[in-house]
Amino acid sequence: MRHTARLRAGVLAAILALAACGNQSSQSDYSTTAQAAIAADPVPCASTPHVANQPAGSDDWPVYHRAADRHGVDPEAPAVRGIDPRWAVRLDGSMFAQPLVVQGLVVEATMHDSVYALDAATGCLVWRTSLGTPFDVTRHRLACNNLTPELGVTATPAIDPLIGAIYVVAFLDPGRYEMDALDLATGAIRWRHPIELPGSDVLQQLSRPAVTLANGRAYASFGGRAGDCGLYHGFVVGVNTDGSSPDVLFQAASVPKAAIWAPGGPVVLPNGDLLVSTGNTDEVRTYDGGSNAVDRLTPALQRTDFFTPDDWKRLNQADLDIGGLGPTLVDGGRVFQAGKGGTGYLLDSNHLGGVGGQAFKRPIPGGCYAIGATAYRAPLVYLPCDHGLVAVRPRAASFDIAWRSGPRFRSGSPIVAGLVWDLDFEGGFLWGLDAGTGAVRQKVAIGVGEHFTSLSSSAGRLYVPAKRNLFAFSLR
């Protein structure tokens, strides 16, 4: 899962520029029409919002990409004619986690091992909880790593609104992982649970995938660091949602590596089984049983089925694994999968096919180095590539390409909220594209963000992280 950072140095000015456009798709067609203030530290709220333990509502975004299927669709979003800046705050650390929204609270975690709850309408601070001291990269000097100067929360947490709990994976100095449960209303820590990763060097493990809630467990996933150094494995660990032992564990391969590192985390099937994708190992002779795979796991994390491309040797050798993109459940019981090699695969979710057993495959025309998380609103899968966004149309036994974005940019992980919204985390823009045609409808300058970052949508607003700045916009 080696991936060399190509983020430009520095942060673009945090001036928000809103651009009006019609059907143009050229980046040169835009002019600034509005501005908003630079982000500032959040101000405490004058009163505390009431939070009740109740099921997630239609406006809530409680987990990564809103639901366990990771489709990333806000069904309540309005038809978008424009976008207006609402508020902007500066947090204590950079953000890899997608903002979560429940009952009028925006919950965001930072690399400083902090979790914030902000009023969704105003951005005022409801509470902030420190989980401890983040791992100090400047002091420990990891041989493989592109994240500095501290390592805290890199995985998007998950919220269970029914019991008012937030589940967060923290990385703490001098190098240990734990699952923490926080109270949604107050931020108080309900319990802390150490996460053991047997047979690995924990300093070489990274928890990038989002926490998945299912089957009475909070599932955390792990891979390696940029550069693929040291002894690490691809793991999924299931922690009981009451913090009790024992955990359940899946190790992707018997040999090292085979990272589980796509930011969306495990996808939950209707029967509670999970789907995960894995990265490369160094094996090029006999298939190692776990690399470059889509795995189906039981709730207890026993593997019952898998798929791997028949050219797995080449993918291992060239570091072109499929593990940087999570599986996408599409209509008809199909699964769409792609990766860094530029090929798309259509799988049967009930029979993934083993080695080379896909239902259909083809190269993505024009290529696609795919990393991040897709969004899916039938009939299209929105696929993040290193040079823009591609809309894929899965069919019963094949797929084709519906459109490719005109602007070329390092795509983050898109969502659908009236438009298809995607972050250019290197160029520093938020793009709003027509879902059916790919035509550019909105463009906002927000500043560069972290790799594969995604935004969220709730109650007619977008919440967008860019390094330490968290922005809110109103859709109209």
Side-chain angles (χ1 to χ4, degrees):
M1 50 85 63
R2 293 183 296 273
H3 181 68
T4 303
R6 293 190 289 169
L7 290 174
R8 299 187 181 117
V11 178
L12 298 180
I15 300 294
L16 309 183
L18 304 181
C21 62
N23 292 323
Q24 303 100 322
S25 59
S26 170
Q27 187 167 335
S28 63
D29 291 333
Y30 299 92
S31 61
T32 299
T33 60
Q35 293 182 343
I38 294 174
D41 293 341
V43 176
C45 296
S47 60
T48 302
H50 175 69
V51 177
N53 292 352
Q54 60 188 36
S58 60
D59 275 336
D60 288 341
W61 191 284
V63 297
Y64 189 91
H65 268 29
R66 190 176 180 273
D69 59 17
R70 304 311 201 215
H71 283 170
V73 176
D74 179 359
E76 304 292 328
V80 178
R81 303 185 311 276
I83 179 172
D84 298 312
R86 192 173 183 95
W87 52 259
V89 296
R90 185 166 174 82
L91 305 186
D92 65 5
S94 201
M95 291 167 280
F96 282 86
Q98 185 180 61
L100 304 178
V101 190
V102 171
Q103 297 183 41
L105 294 182
V106 177
V107 175
E108 179 62 290
T110 75
M111 291 283 275
H112 195 62
D113 269 328
S114 294
V115 181
Y116 287 79
L118 306 167
D119 184 276
T122 68
C124 68
L125 178 65
V126 179
W127 54 257
R128 170 188 169 272
T129 297
S130 173
L131 303 177
T133 303
F135 184 84
D136 186 342
V137 175
T138 59
R139 181 161 56 89
H140 292 286
R141 296 185 180 180
L142 297 173
C144 277
N145 181 58
N146 62 346
L147 309 178
T148 58
E150 57 190 6
L151 286 171
V153 179
T154 48
T156 299
I159 301 175
D160 184 345
L162 187 60
I163 64 171
I166 307 168
Y167 299 92
V168 189
V169 177
F171 190 52
L172 301 165
D173 214 44
R176 61 184 176 87
Y177 282 102
E178 64 182 33
M179 178 79 75
D180 296 339
L182 278 62
D183 186 85
L184 176 62
T186 67
I189 297 175
R190 293 184 177 182
W191 51 257
R192 313 187 81 141
H193 185 90
I195 295 177
E196 303 295 334
L197 304 175
S200 70
D201 179 355
V202 69
L203 294 186
Q204 307 305 329
Q205 301 274 179
L206 182 66
S207 181
R208 185 185 295 278
V211 176
T212 293
L213 286 180
N215 312 309
R217 296 187 175 99
Y219 296 95
S221 307
F222 297 85
R225 302 191 181 279
D228 272 357
C229 287
L231 179 60
Y232 73 86
H233 292 276
F235 288 111
V236 181
V237 181
V239 177
N240 292 324
T241 51
D242 62 2
S244 64
S245 295
D247 300 343
V248 293
L249 181 138
F250 168 69
Q251 181 176 310
S254 58
V255 299
K257 302 185 180 180
I260 297 173
W261 64 290
V267 173
V268 184
L269 293 167
N271 72 340
D273 282 359
L274 308 178
L275 289 180
V276 297
S277 59
T278 68
N280 59 279
T281 66
D282 293 329
E283 183 57 61
V284 294
R285 293 174 297 178
T286 303
Y287 183 59
D288 50 50
S291 64
N292 276 295
V294 175
D295 290 319
R296 181 168 182 154
L297 310 176
T298 68
L301 300 183
Q302 301 300 307
R303 181 166 55 187
T304 61
D305 197 4
F306 80 100
F307 159 77
T308 193
D310 55 11
D311 61 345
W312 60 267
K313 292 182 181 180
R314 180 184 70 87
L315 300 182
N316 275 354
Q317 286 177 315
D319 182 35
L320 293 176
D321 61 279
I322 66 174
L325 188 80
T328 305
L329 294 173
V330 299
D331 288 354
R334 297 297 200 185
V335 176
F336 177 79
Q337 182 67 44
K340 293 188 287 186
T343 297
Y345 308 89
L346 197 61
L347 315 175
D348 181 344
S349 64
N350 293 312
H351 180 64
L352 294 174
V355 178
Q358 69 279 337
F360 179 78
K361 75 172 183 178
R362 65 172 290 186
I364 306 296
C368 177
Y369 186 93
I371 301 176
T374 62
Y376 173 65
R377 186 176 67 182
L380 298 179
V381 174
Y382 302 100
L383 177 64
C385 304
D386 66 339
H387 54 277
L389 197 64
V390 173
V392 176
R393 182 184 292 107
R395 303 184 185 277
S398 65
F399 65 84
D400 56 25
I401 305 303
W403 53 259
R404 182 182 295 272
S405 64
R408 297 178 65 85
F409 60 89
R410 293 295 303 281
S411 178
S413 297
I415 68 167
V416 183
L419 302 176
V420 179
W421 298 94
D422 197 13
L423 294 171
D424 174 4
F425 60 85
E426 278 195 349
F429 292 104
L430 170 65
W431 294 94
L433 309 179
D434 186 280
T437 68
V440 177
R441 304 300 187 194
Q442 302 292 328
K443 179 186 177 185
V444 184
I446 60 170
V448 297
E450 299 293 359
H451 279 64
F452 333 130
T453 312
S454 191
L455 66 161
S456 55
S457 172
S458 173
R461 303 185 196 105
L462 299 180
Y463 301 95
V464 188
K467 292 290 187 178
R468 291 179 59 185
N469 296 330
L470 180 62
F471 301 109
F473 299 92
S474 292
L475 300 176
R476 54 176 169 84

